[in-house]
Amino acid sequence: MSPLRAKRIHFRTKKYRSPDGLPTDICLFTILSIPRHTKTKSLPHKQLAVLLIKRKSDTFGEQWALPGGFSHESETLDECAYRELKEETNIDRDVHIEQLKTYYKPGRDPRGWIPSVAYVSLVHEELLKHTQANDDASDAQLFPIEEAFALNLAFDHREILTDALQRVREQMLQTTIAKAFLPDEFTLSELLQVIETVVPSFSSKDRGNFERRLLATTRRQGLLEPVLSADGQPVYSTEFSNSPAKLYRFTGFTPTAMIY
Amino acid sequence: MSPLRAKRIHFRTKKYRSPDGLPTDICLFTILSIPRHTKTKSLPHKQLAVLLIKRKSDTFGEQWALPGGFSHESETLDECAYRELKEETNIDRDVHIEQLKTYYKPGRDPRGWIPSVAYVSLVHEELLKHTQANDDASDAQLFPIEEAFALNLAFDHREILTDALQRVREQMLQTTIAKAFLPDEFTLSELLQVIETVVPSFSSKDRGNFERRLLATTRRQGLLEPVLSADGQPVYSTEFSNSPAKLYRFTGFTPTAMIY
DNA sequence: GTAATAGTGTCTCTGAGACAGTATCTC
DNA sequence: GAGATACTGTCTCAGAGACACTATTAC
């Protein structure tokens, strides 16, 4: 028996009752595209959605809950969250996942002293195309956020979801996380749509001015760069419009937002 | 024995090894005032500092560490953090305290599986005047942040401190947490000093333009309001200057900072 | 008058937003 | 030409920042 192990056991038997487990729970957000049946090519409607799983008959009966599971001593919390995310979605690529907050109050889990480390993950819908979440018979399902809030969620998951949504809205305006919902190369209309979908109050009402703000102001110089082909010409997309739209990508530079 | 208790015990013996404790650790920041010996009244120099405690001879020897302690099943994490904060500082008033993040990786604490829920607290130095931290013989001491980073901190507390500082810097520019370091009523120079102390890169170089930005722009209308006396006249302070300076307070309104 | 902070005036250039107009392409 | 998106032009007013200037008070 190693000295380290001896020390641990000494510690455990000494003094404290300790938690009955430390699970991570994940608020996985995605943006669903709903095609509009228009006479010419058009941008789809977009809807912010969250992944929920139906709990097997346990203490919380058949309620919907955030996906998650217990962490192990041998892994970090990030690893646990990512492992759970992969188990639920079969995603194998790296996705945006970030710790939100740890929740505990007496009684939050009727099984005992079980805090929960909540994570927020943002995933492009494309990566969810072939996961259980799209199988109606599955216990996992994507819900538009208003519908999710209408459900009677297990544990304190409504509170977690509320906090997660607030965090994502703040970050959508102050960082470049919009990129989690976009392909590497995107048009300005797509970017604007993502922002408006996550933060309904943003609504710029004017694609033209949005474009100028992003491209013509020195404060934001370098936030976006046009995608160029081998011969230095801008690359256009006609995916959502007959009129070709310039493609952009994020550069990595993020201007600092401040109130003063 | 209640059904709940029975269920818990069933759960505990079933399957999982669980953490050996869930402590909270606190990054308590304050701003120290260092008087300048000038010929007339002047603003003191300000320095951002963090509270550290010297660990008794345990696994980490005599290293400095963030204050903290184990949470109990009967309390929330916020309550635990606040309790620990009070124990270390004897503060009895409400102060700004906010959860930062939960840290765990295998081996972070040689005593076993012990994650740590980190908190950030911002406290006006006035409230620390009569605490252990000002007693040199005490095990608790305030360190200017550069000095704190020069120390070899226990556990992963350097990483926590780094994250905490980054969070405070972001929030200083995007929220009104500056109020945690200010009295209810303050002058614009005091506010500017607080911002510059926490975010050295802010340096506005021009008190005059700072004043106009805060008072004359519609976007920020209502961020600050002048303090008025009973007869509706503005109230002035001569605490830091022979020339009386108007006093302001935060209103509660916070403009939203955004990058788009 | 001097030392320190408090505050104003003015000028220039950037930027935000309203609104209208033109362009592009498919059917 | 209709339908949809993709821009560009123009005008006005707000705001950022540089810089210089005046004001206030104790000593």
Side-chain angles (χ1 to χ4, degrees):
Chain A
M1 185 184 273
S2 75
L4 196 148
R5 182 116 204 126
K7 195 159 266 162
R8 176 197 297 158
I9 285 167
H10 172 245
F11 173 79
R12 291 201 71 197
T13 53
K14 188 172 60 176
K15 192 169 177 182
Y16 300 103
R17 165 151 159 65
S18 45
D20 299 319
L22 187 63
T24 62
D25 286 314
I26 301 160
C27 292
L28 187 157
F29 293 105
T30 192
I31 291 184
L32 300 174
S33 293
I34 299 121
R36 295 155 56 207
H37 305 293
T38 49
K39 304 196 176 169
T40 67
K41 274 188 215 171
S42 62
L43 292 158
H45 267 135
K46 302 257 173 179
Q47 200 164 32
L48 185 64
V50 63
L51 182 70
L52 298 176
I53 57 155
K54 190 183 272 169
R55 290 189 71 82
K56 305 278 152 62
S57 52
D58 70 351
T59 328
F60 275 81
E62 293 249 317
Q63 282 175 298
W64 291 93
L66 297 171
F70 286 85
S71 67
H72 308 146
E73 183 176 10
S74 59
E75 68 187 353
T76 66
L77 295 166
D78 287 7
E79 283 163 0
C80 172
Y82 194 54
R83 176 171 58 74
E84 298 291 342
L85 183 145
K86 280 202 276 199
E87 282 172 16
E88 295 294 343
T89 63
N90 299 318
I91 291 172
D92 59 347
R93 270 190 271 180
D94 273 7
V95 296
H96 180 102
I97 185 162
E98 179 191 354
Q99 195 184 306
L100 172 66
K101 191 179 161 183
T102 299
Y103 292 81
Y104 179 70
K105 62 178 173 233
R108 75 169 287 282
D109 188 322
R111 297 167 302 184
W113 181 3
I114 305 182
S116 165
V117 183
Y119 275 77
V120 171
S121 178
L122 307 182
V123 180
H124 193 283
E125 65 177 327
E126 198 59 39
L127 300 179
L128 295 171
K129 273 276 148 58
H130 305 292
T131 67
Q132 308 175 40
N134 288 277
D135 176 359
D136 272 357
S138 154
D139 59 346
Q141 204 175 310
L142 289 168
F143 289 87
I145 41 161
E146 314 79 35
E147 289 181 35
F149 278 115
L151 296 172
N152 184 11
L153 300 179
F155 306 102
D156 49 3
H157 287 185
R158 164 185 272 272
E159 182 188 352
I160 296 178
L161 186 55
T162 303
D163 292 353
L165 186 58
Q166 192 192 324
R167 170 90 139 244
V168 171
R169 287 191 168 142
E170 283 169 11
Q171 291 197 342
M172 182 57 57
L173 299 180
Q174 296 175 349
T175 74
T176 56
I177 45 157
K179 72 177 76 163
F181 290 136
L182 289 166
D184 281 348
E185 306 176 350
F186 50 87
T187 67
L188 292 182
S189 294
E190 287 181 277
L191 171 57
L192 179 55
Q193 252 201 329
V194 165
I195 300 171
E196 287 179 343
T197 303
V198 175
V199 189
S201 63
F202 184 78
S203 243
S204 97
K205 290 296 181 205
D206 189 335
R207 239 302 307 269
N209 288 330
F210 179 71
E211 174 151 2
R212 244 184 314 233
R213 279 209 307 277
L214 261 58
L215 303 176
T217 59
T218 59
R219 219 190 96 219
R220 288 179 272 251
Q221 278 306 342
L223 172 59
L224 299 179
E225 65 185 7
V227 178
L228 301 178
S229 63
D231 55 340
Q233 287 309 103
V235 179
Y236 290 84
S237 157
T238 54
E239 187 177 358
F240 301 114
S241 145
N242 291 325
S243 179
K246 227 176 254 178
L247 287 173
Y248 293 88
R249 68 164 72 90
F250 282 103
T251 57
F253 165 76
T254 308
T256 22
M258 54 175 90
I259 65 171
Y260 293 109
Chain B
M1 186 184 272
S2 74
L4 196 149
R5 182 112 206 129
K7 195 158 264 163
R8 176 196 299 161
I9 284 166
H10 173 245
F11 172 79
R12 293 202 68 197
T13 54
K14 192 171 59 177
K15 193 169 178 185
Y16 299 104
R17 165 151 158 65
S18 44
D20 299 319
L22 188 62
T24 63
D25 285 313
I26 302 161
C27 292
L28 187 156
F29 293 104
T30 193
I31 291 184
L32 300 174
S33 294
I34 298 120
R36 296 155 57 208
H37 304 294
T38 48
K39 303 195 178 174
T40 68
K41 273 188 216 174
S42 63
L43 291 157
H45 267 134
K46 303 256 175 180
Q47 199 164 33
L48 186 62
V50 63
L51 183 70
L52 299 176
I53 58 156
K54 189 182 273 168
R55 290 190 71 82
K56 305 277 153 61
S57 53
D58 70 351
T59 327
F60 274 81
E62 293 249 315
Q63 281 175 298
W64 291 93
L66 297 171
F70 285 86
S71 67
H72 307 147
E73 183 176 11
S74 59
E75 68 186 354
T76 66
L77 295 165
D78 287 7
E79 285 163 358
C80 173
Y82 195 54
R83 176 170 59 73
E84 299 290 343
L85 181 144
K86 281 202 276 198
E87 282 173 17
E88 295 294 343
T89 62
N90 300 315
I91 290 173
D92 58 349
R93 272 191 268 180
D94 274 7
V95 296
H96 179 103
I97 186 162
E98 180 192 353
Q99 195 185 306
L100 172 67
K101 191 178 161 184
T102 300
Y103 292 81
Y104 179 71
K105 61 177 173 236
R108 75 168 288 282
D109 188 323
R111 295 168 302 183
W113 182 1
I114 304 181
S116 166
V117 184
Y119 275 77
V120 171
S121 177
L122 308 182
V123 179
H124 192 283
E125 64 177 327
E126 197 59 38
L127 300 178
L128 296 171
K129 272 276 146 60
H130 304 292
T131 67
Q132 309 175 40
N134 288 277
D135 176 0
D136 271 357
S138 154
D139 60 344
Q141 202 174 309
L142 289 168
F143 288 86
I145 40 161
E146 314 80 35
E147 289 181 33
F149 277 115
L151 296 172
N152 184 12
L153 299 178
F155 306 102
D156 49 4
H157 287 187
R158 163 184 272 271
E159 182 187 352
I160 297 178
L161 186 56
T162 303
D163 292 352
L165 186 59
Q166 192 192 324
R167 171 91 139 244
V168 171
R169 287 191 168 142
E170 282 170 12
Q171 291 197 341
M172 181 59 56
L173 298 180
Q174 296 175 349
T175 74
T176 55
I177 46 154
K179 71 176 78 160
F181 289 137
L182 289 166
D184 282 348
E185 306 176 349
F186 51 85
T187 67
L188 292 182
S189 293
E190 287 181 276
L191 171 57
L192 179 55
Q193 254 201 327
V194 165
I195 300 170
E196 287 180 342
T197 303
V198 174
V199 190
S201 64
F202 183 77
S203 245
S204 98
K205 288 296 180 204
D206 189 334
R207 241 302 309 272
N209 287 331
F210 179 71
E211 173 152 2
R212 244 183 317 232
R213 278 209 307 276
L214 262 57
L215 303 175
T217 59
T218 60
R219 220 190 95 218
R220 288 180 273 251
Q221 277 307 341
L223 172 59
L224 298 181
E225 66 185 5
V227 177
L228 301 178
S229 63
D231 56 340
Q233 289 307 106
V235 179
Y236 291 83
S237 158
T238 54
E239 189 177 357
F240 301 113
S241 141
N242 291 325
S243 178
K246 227 176 252 177
L247 287 173
Y248 292 87
R249 66 165 72 90
F250 282 103
T251 58
F253 166 76
T254 308
T256 21
M258 55 175 90
I259 64 171
Y260 294 108

